[in-house]
């Protein structure tokens, strides 16, 4: 889908922020828990360390830090924010963690809510926020991608526990002119037929209530993943959706300044880059230090590359998120930065 047409405003990405927990868990340390080793994990995934929320941090505290840094970079007052969307599958409160973040940020005029689309969540939330800005009377939005999968991993399952870490990333979006639009195009997709490849499912424990009535106890099973199926899905669908976007936008892959994919596995990043002949130095990756932080990976990587000067004003970024659902999506972005 191309956007916007000439008579609607554009969306500018004007700030970013991120936060990770202070506790680092290395591959060697994981080897104390399950039968694995540093070389297997590095070779198969590119991951060396991941950050895990410990005693003194919460997902909400990471989100507040990331959101606050994005607001600061954009040069906004918190009261000027109209919308906060928190993309997460692991909220601190199932009724919604977005409003707590809104309160703590002092964004008193913003409406805030959560959106769940697993590892695609940030991209889905970014596109959702853009629609409010484009179609409604909202001018400024904070989109946060954050997850705490460490709470839901089976730490005795070596096929999945090596992959994931915790973190939060945020971007500040602002209404702008058609000419300055930074969301050049996007496409989002779902395939619920493949939902069993990756789950964090409610358990089906039924407890007796009264007489012959029962109720379902509220609790969730640990993450279950068919790694090979998810891998095959990613290396097929991510290039396909990016190809579609590039063609519909009349943009050559050689014009891409940065390939910013969901950080799931270095082999997936390399495979997608090779498909488009994108040199590996244009592929953003921080997997080695953070692992797969689910909805946080894209804004966490974006913020790192903005702050260390790799991403500059007007850089063209091809981004794609993918994961449970199954869900996936892609967008072509132009980074604006603060004015
Ligand atoms: O956001 C989306 C989230 N999910 C993903 O992105 C997952 C995508 N998939 C992957 O990244 C890869 O499939 C994995 C990294 C999960 C697994 O890599 P793989 O190359 O597909 O390995 P495999 O599952 O085919 O396992 C190969 C071997 C097996 O041994 P045998 O049966 O060949 O003897 C596994 O038992 O490696 C063994 N193995 C391990 N060995 C050491 C599996 N996990 C481990 C481990 N350490 N942690």
């Amino acid at each position: 889908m191309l956007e916007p047409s000439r008579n609607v405003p554009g969306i500018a990405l004007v700030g970013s922020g991120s936060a990770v927990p202070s506790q680092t868990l290395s591959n060697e340390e994981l080897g104390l828990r399950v039968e694995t080793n540093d070389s297997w994990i590095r070779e198969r995934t590119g991951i060396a360390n991941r950050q895990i929320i410990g005693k003194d941090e919460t997902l909400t505290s990471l989100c507040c830090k990331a959101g606050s840094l994005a607001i600061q970079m954009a040069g906004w007052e918190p009261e000027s924010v109209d919308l906060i969307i928190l993309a997460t599958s692991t909220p601190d409160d199932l009724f919604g963690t977005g409003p707590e973040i809104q309160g703590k940020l002092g964004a008193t005029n913003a409406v805030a809510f959560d959106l769940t689309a697993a590892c695609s969540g940030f991209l889905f939330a970014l596109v959702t926020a853009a629609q409010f800005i484009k179609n409604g009377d909202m001018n400024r939005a904070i989109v946060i991608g954050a997850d705490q999968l460490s709470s839901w991993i089976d730490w005795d399952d070596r096929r999945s526990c090596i992959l994931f870490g915790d973190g939060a990333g945020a971007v500040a979006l602002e209404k702008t002119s058609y000419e300055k639009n930074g969301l050049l195009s996007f496409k989002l997709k779902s395939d619920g037929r493949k939902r069993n490849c990756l789950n964090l499912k409610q358990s089906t424990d039924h407890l007796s209530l009264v007489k012959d009535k029962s109720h379902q106890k509220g609790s969730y099973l640990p993450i279950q993943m068919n790694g090979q199926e998810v891998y095959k899905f990613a290396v097929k669908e991510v290039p396909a959706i990016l190809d579609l976007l590039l063609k519909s936008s009349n943009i050559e892959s050689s014009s891409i300044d940065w390939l910013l994919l969901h950080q799931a596995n270095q082999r997936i990043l390399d495979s997608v880059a090779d498909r488009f002949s994108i040199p590996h130095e244009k592929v953003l990756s921080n997997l080695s230090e953070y692992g797969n932080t689910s909805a946080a990976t894209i804004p966490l990587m974006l913020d790192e590359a903005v702050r260390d000067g790799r991403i500059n004003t007007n850089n063209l970024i091809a981004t794609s998120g993918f994961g449970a659902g199954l869900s996936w999506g892609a967008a072509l972005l132009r980074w604006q930065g603060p004015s």
Side-chain angles (χ1 to χ4, degrees):
M1 181 176 173
L2 276 175
E3 74 152 55
S5 64
R6 283 187 182 275
N7 55 359
V8 292
I11 286 96
L13 290 89
V14 294
S16 66
S18 61
V20 290
S22 51
Q23 189 174 235
T24 305
L25 184 67
S26 69
N27 290 346
E28 287 84 359
E29 287 169 308
L30 265 177
L32 302 172
R33 173 84 184 209
V34 288
E35 201 181 326
T36 192
N37 56 74
D38 179 54
S39 60
W40 191 97
I41 302 174
R42 277 181 200 259
E43 276 166 29
R44 301 285 178 130
T45 69
I47 299 166
N49 295 301
R50 66 286 291 144
Q51 309 295 121
I52 304 293
I53 290 179
K55 288 198 185 100
D56 302 324
E57 289 152 328
T58 62
L59 191 79
T60 304
S61 67
L62 297 183
C63 291
C64 288
K65 189 170 171 200
S68 171
L69 287 166
I71 289 173
Q72 270 175 39
M73 187 189 284
W76 298 348
E77 293 303 323
E79 298 83 5
S80 71
V81 177
D82 301 305
L83 172 68
I84 296 173
I85 306 182
L86 169 63
T88 188
S89 304
T90 55
D92 285 337
D93 184 337
L94 274 180
F95 283 165
T97 293
E100 186 178 352
I101 296 165
Q102 179 254 16
K104 288 190 163 148
L105 287 177
T108 44
N109 295 306
V111 61
F113 58 88
D114 295 8
L115 179 154
T116 302
C119 299
S120 312
F122 172 76
L123 204 55
F124 281 35
L126 181 79
V127 169
T128 304
Q131 306 315 303
F132 279 97
I133 294 174
K134 198 177 70 165
N135 299 325
D137 56 2
M138 291 186 177
N139 292 309
R140 290 179 167 178
I142 293 291
V143 178
I144 304 172
D147 267 309
Q148 184 178 355
L149 291 189
S150 63
S151 300
W152 301 103
I153 290 165
D154 176 353
W155 286 104
D156 295 314
D157 177 7
R158 71 174 183 170
R159 291 164 306 147
S160 58
C161 75
I162 53 150
L163 290 178
F164 299 107
D166 303 332
V171 294
L173 300 181
E174 188 163 50
K175 188 179 280 184
T176 189
S177 62
Y178 166 81
E179 288 72 24
K180 286 189 174 167
N181 179 47
L183 177 59
L184 307 184
S185 59
F186 67 85
K187 179 97 185 148
L188 308 178
K189 297 195 77 163
S190 308
D191 186 356
R193 292 168 301 179
K194 295 190 182 145
R195 64 191 173 280
N196 286 332
C197 292
L198 187 51
N199 297 119
L200 203 178
K201 268 192 179 160
Q202 192 173 189
S203 79
T204 46
D205 284 349
H206 290 273
L207 300 184
S208 170
L209 187 56
V210 287
K211 296 188 200 163
D212 58 346
K213 315 283 174 178
S214 68
H215 74 94
Q216 199 169 328
K217 185 171 168 7
S219 62
Y220 286 82
L221 296 170
I223 292 170
Q224 292 168 314
M225 182 183 75
N226 181 333
Q228 289 183 351
E229 282 304 313
V230 177
Y231 189 94
K232 280 191 264 175
F233 146 74
V235 296
K236 176 169 176 261
E237 298 297 351
V238 173
I241 201 165
L242 279 172
D243 193 44
L244 193 77
L245 269 197
L246 288 167
K247 284 192 174 130
S248 64
S249 314
N250 282 323
I251 290 177
E252 297 290 331
S253 59
S254 54
S255 319
I256 295 170
D257 293 302
W258 299 107
L259 184 63
L260 172 47
L261 303 181
H262 167 50
Q263 310 276 300
N265 185 320
Q266 189 61 43
R267 289 187 291 144
I268 297 176
L269 307 192
D270 293 342
S271 158
V272 177
D274 291 345
R275 160 70 184 73
F276 293 100
S277 305
I278 294 174
H280 286 199
E281 54 278 15
K282 290 187 171 185
V283 180
L284 294 170
S285 173
N286 59 10
L287 259 170
S288 113
E289 289 316 304
Y290 304 121
N292 178 347
T293 55
S294 188
T297 66
I298 292 174
L300 185 60
M301 184 67 252
L302 177 86
D303 184 50
E304 186 179 311
V306 164
R307 285 177 192 270
D308 69 18
R310 275 178 287 174
I311 293 181
N312 286 297
T313 300
N314 284 330
N315 277 182
L316 178 63
I317 302 166
T319 186
S320 176
F322 54 89
L326 294 176
S327 61
W328 67 107
L332 296 175
L333 307 172
R334 251 187 221 292
W335 173 255
Q336 172 75 41
S339 46

